[in-house]
């Protein structure tokens, strides 16, 4: 999940729109980097990574190939193919950083009289119980399933694992740093953050072991240092992270239920773990719900309504565009990408409406029509990027497409919203939604 020393977004669903970017010297990197938990598989010592036994000095290279060398890789090494490096884009999972001093003030009992200690104590007891302590245990099925996955689907699975691992790891960084920084101000909230970082480390480590089935590993230590960090103010972290956790929950549980009903599409056993896994994300979301309740100024005025809608739009659009670029993955496991996404968006929006003061009218058919138009425009942009025309001409071609995207986003944002949210109602939010 995306951070603010690193904020987390499960499954790569980072908000599309960030504020200013900070470079890798985010506060989290120094303190967390030397303490990466077991199982995260970081080399962590320098910006070097190893490709097929050779050190690679490319600052964007972050996947370590341990044994297999693809045809493309051989061609690159032989100088016969252009070297491609992963590029960050608006849709890439991000790491975030925040104003920790303001965060400390928000959770200081001297400054904030709305902190409900009994509720946080109860949540802490839940996290200490550590229901998934023994859940993430691998078996022989993994390697065998990975070996069966060949051709384009293999590459798509690798990308899924890589993006998910990055997103979970970014959550680990954020929560770890918040746990460290809030220790003196509010030890209960701090311990919850630390225990959430435990969960995210587990998730990232499990995904990284999945990559090992494909003879790959993400160099998370390198990633921590090399990635840019997007700065969000604390209140934006609350909105974005709450949404990320809840949308992560709905994605995982929807995939789990679908594959349980259609076992022929169970191509890789990691999905069998999603039922318990998504309960971690649900608990994380409930914690952010409690945090928001403790900061009523973020929920009870017209600005809160505008920001709530903004973050809903940002998270939903990012997921939709991302997933529509990867339909082969969803179709590979028997899902219809757009139907899956709309189900996740509608359920997340209903859940979010319990706490956010306003949400989008995602069940209005016009909402999906506009999303689909954005997908077309995004495909046009991709086609322009791939074309061989001169750069200046490409830039000219992009102008009308980007203008149309902006106007579509504004139209989505200004659709009549659904008034929602009730601080009382949240008390009745079930712990387990399914
Ligand atoms: Fe997670
Ligand atoms: Fe989470």
């Amino acid at each position: 999940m995306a951070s603010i020393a690193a904020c987390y977004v499960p499954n790569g669903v980072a908000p599309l729109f960030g504020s200013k970017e900070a470079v890798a010297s985010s506060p989290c990197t120094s303190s967390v980097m030397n303490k990466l938990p077991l199982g995260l598989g970081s080399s962590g010592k320098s910006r070097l990574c190893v490709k097929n036994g050779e050190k690679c000095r490319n600052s964007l290279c972050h996947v370590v190939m341990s044994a297999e060398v693809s045809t493309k890789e051989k061609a690159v090494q032989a100088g016969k193919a252009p070297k491609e490096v992963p590029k960050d884009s608006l849709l890439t999972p991000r790491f975030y950083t925040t104003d920790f001093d303001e965060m400390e003030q928000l959770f200081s009992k001297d400054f904030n009289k709305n902190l409900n200690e009994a509720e946080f104590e109860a949540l802490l007891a839940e996290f200490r119980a550590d229901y998934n302590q023994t859940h993430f245990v691998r078996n022989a099925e993994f390697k065998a399933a990975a070996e069966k996955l060949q051709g384009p689907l293999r590459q798509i699975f690798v990308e899924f694992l890589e993006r998910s691992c990055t997103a979970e790891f970014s959550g680990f960084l954020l929560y770890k740093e918040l746990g460290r920084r809030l220790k003196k101000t509010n030890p209960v909230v701090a311990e919850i953050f630390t225990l959430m970082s435990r969960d995210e480390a587990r998730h990232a480590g499990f995904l990284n072991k999945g990559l090992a089935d494909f003879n790959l590993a993400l160099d998370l230590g390198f990633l921590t240092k090399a990635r840019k960090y997007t700065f969000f103010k604390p209140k934006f972290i609350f909105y974005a992270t709450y949404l990320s956790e809840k949308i992560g929950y709905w994605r995982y549980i929807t995939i789990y239920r679908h594959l349980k009903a259609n076992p022929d599409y169970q191509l890789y056993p990691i999905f069998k773990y999603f039922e318990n896994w998504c309960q971690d994300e649900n608990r994380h979301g409930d914690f952010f719900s409690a945090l928001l309740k403790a900061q009523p100024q973020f929920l009870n005025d017209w600005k809160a309504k505008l920001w709530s809608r903004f973050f809903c739009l940002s998270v939903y659009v990012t997921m939709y565009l991302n997933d529509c670029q990867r339909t082969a993955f969803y179709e590979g496991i028997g899902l219809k990408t757009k139907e899956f996404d709309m189900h996740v968006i509608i359920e997340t929006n209903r859940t979010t409406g319990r706490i956010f003061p306003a949400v989008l009218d995602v069940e209005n058919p016009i909402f999906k029509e506009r999303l689909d138009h954005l997908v077309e425009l995004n495909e046009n942009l991709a086609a322009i990027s791939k074309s061989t025309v001169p750069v200046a001409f490409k830039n000219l071609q992009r102008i009308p497409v980007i203008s149309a995207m902006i106007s579509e986003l504004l139209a989505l944002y200004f659709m009549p919203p659904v008034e929602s949210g009730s601080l009382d109602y949240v008390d009745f939010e079930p712990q387990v939604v399914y």
Side-chain angles (χ1 to χ4, degrees), residues 1 8 10 168 199-200 203-204 245 252 277 280-281 284:
M1 183 140 40
Y8 150 77
E168 296 278 9
D199 295 343
E200 306 301 9
H203 302 165
E245 295 288 2
Y252 285 150
W277 187 329
D280 282 342
E281 312 304 1
H284 300 171

Side-chain angles (χ1 to χ4, degrees), residues 398-418:
R398 283 185 182 118
I399 292 170
V401 183
I402 291 172
S403 306
M405 288 182 97
I406 291 169
S407 109
E408 207 57 91
L409 287 167
L410 288 173
L412 279 165
Y413 183 71
F414 287 110
M415 277 176 70
V418 178

Side-chain angles (χ1 to χ4, degrees), residues 352 391 422:
T352 303
V391 174
S422 159

Side-chain angles (χ1 to χ4, degrees), residues 66-98:
S66 59
E68 251 182 22
V69 185
S70 67
T71 311
K72 192 185 225 175
E73 189 72 14
K74 283 176 185 164
V76 169
Q77 286 169 4
K80 290 175 188 166
K83 189 157 191 168
E84 286 177 27
V85 292
K87 282 183 188 162
D88 279 355
S89 75
L90 279 177
L91 300 179
T92 310
R94 293 175 179 213
F95 290 2
Y96 295 86
T97 187
T98 196

Side-chain angles (χ1 to χ4, degrees), residues 207-272:
L207 287 156
N208 214 7
K209 282 181 183 163
L211 278 167
D213 296 329
F214 296 84
N215 304 308
L216 295 161
L218 260 182
D219 186 341
L220 296 169
F222 167 79
L223 200 61
T224 309
K225 290 179 181 170
R227 267 287 167 93
K228 284 182 180 170
Y229 286 77
T230 302
F231 179 88
F232 272 174
K233 284 174 72 64
K235 78 168 173 178
F236 301 144
I237 291 292
F238 293 153
Y239 296 135
T241 314
Y242 171 83
L243 274 168
S244 302
E245 295 288 2
K246 288 298 181 186
I247 210 166
Y249 165 79
W250 280 109
R251 285 173 66 84
Y252 285 150
I253 195 63
T254 305
I255 291 174
Y256 174 81
R257 286 173 182 161
H258 160 74
L259 290 176
K260 197 173 179 203
N262 302 278
D264 290 351
Y265 287 104
Q266 188 74 259
L267 301 180
Y268 185 65
I270 203 158
F271 305 114
K272 292 180 187 169

